[in-house]
Amino acid sequence: MKDGKHNSALGAAYAATRPDEVAAIYDSWAETYDADMSAAGYRHPTICLALLARHLPRGAEPLLDAGAGTGLIGEWLAITGYPQVEALDISQGMLDKAAAKGVYAALHRLALGGALPFANGAYAGIVSAGVFTSGHVGIEGLDELIRICRPGGVIVLTVKNTLWQAGFAERIAELEAEGVITRLEETRPYASMPGEGDTVPSRGLVLRVGKVQQGS
């Protein structure tokens, strides 16, 4: 896949500077996304599913798949016993593919990074795989996910090392010190796509929400 559509589309997405650019890239990529990412050995969804299952009881609901894409995690959550999952993604093309899988209770075309139209504590758990990365969402997207996750709930996310080293680690430490979250688990850095030789490592995080975050 080194010179294929996957490599080109992902490179363009990482280089994007505006949400509408990201949405357009994923809209055009939706048709072949699952096959392309499978060929690249994409690991984020599998790792996030394993972390979620370890820390959130089977049957907990509702869940939010934040950055759902074509619904890879949604399918697996349904199989493994999480019956009510909603999808959020910036790309309508990706959401259309996710909808066709018939596993989501609701689909929301929204961008992470700003205010979200959900109540405080709306979700028992949130999973966000491959979203906190170059050209996508930075630390600005974290507070809203915490706000909409109920106290005692779990957030599972992956963070690319470039973001981790550019303020994400410090923000996580601050939130822990304030009692807003507890870091339940942090994986060692790993390559999200072994099929891509120049992939910057990422890590998986599991956060339990403590204090209620106040939204706008």
Side-chain angles (χ1 to χ4, degrees):
M1 299 303 298
K2 187 172 179 61
D3 298 314
K5 182 177 179 181
H6 156 257
N7 183 274
S8 174
L10 191 62
Y14 283 167
T17 57
R18 300 193 316 272
D20 60 320
E21 289 182 89
V22 176
I25 290 162
Y26 280 103
D27 284 346
S28 65
W29 191 8
E31 195 63 39
T32 62
Y33 180 87
D34 283 4
D36 290 343
M37 296 304 266
S38 177
Y42 188 46
R43 291 170 164 175
H44 282 332
T46 309
I47 289 170
C48 283
L49 180 68
L51 293 172
L52 185 76
R54 187 145 63 204
H55 294 283
L56 192 68
R58 185 175 185 270
E61 60 179 58
L63 272 57
L64 179 67
D65 185 357
T70 58
L72 290 173
I73 293 179
E75 285 189 284
W76 300 340
L77 288 171
I79 291 167
T80 53
Y82 297 92
Q84 186 179 349
V85 185
E86 299 180 13
L88 179 155
D89 202 88
I90 196 172
S91 163
Q92 187 61 51
M94 289 288 194
L95 285 175
D96 289 345
K97 288 293 181 183
K101 293 175 179 176
V103 294
Y104 289 107
L107 298 104
H108 309 280
R109 185 177 180 274
L110 296 166
L112 294 177
L116 296 173
F118 307 122
N120 291 356
Y123 296 99
I126 298 171
V127 60
S128 190
V131 174
F132 289 90
T133 186
S134 305
H136 290 56
V137 180
I139 189 64
E140 72 279 355
L142 182 60
D143 283 0
E144 273 292 88
L145 294 187
I146 295 171
R147 180 186 67 79
I148 65 174
C149 186
R150 68 185 57 156
V154 168
I155 301 173
V156 177
L157 65 153
T158 63
V159 184
K160 197 169 184 177
N161 270 3
T162 46
L163 269 67
W164 185 254
Q165 295 159 3
F168 212 104
E170 288 81 1
R171 181 59 177 153
I172 292 292
E174 289 172 1
L175 290 168
E176 285 187 288
E178 294 166 4
V180 175
I181 59 168
T182 301
R183 185 171 359 191
L184 298 180
E185 189 166 352
E186 178 183 332
T187 73
R188 63 177 177 81
Y190 62 90
S192 62
M193 288 176 285
E196 295 293 307
D198 60 351
T199 299
V200 175
S202 301
R203 73 194 63 214
L205 287 175
V206 184
L207 310 173
R208 188 176 301 285
V209 175
K211 296 176 184 176
V212 177
Q213 293 286 89
Q214 297 304 312
S216 55

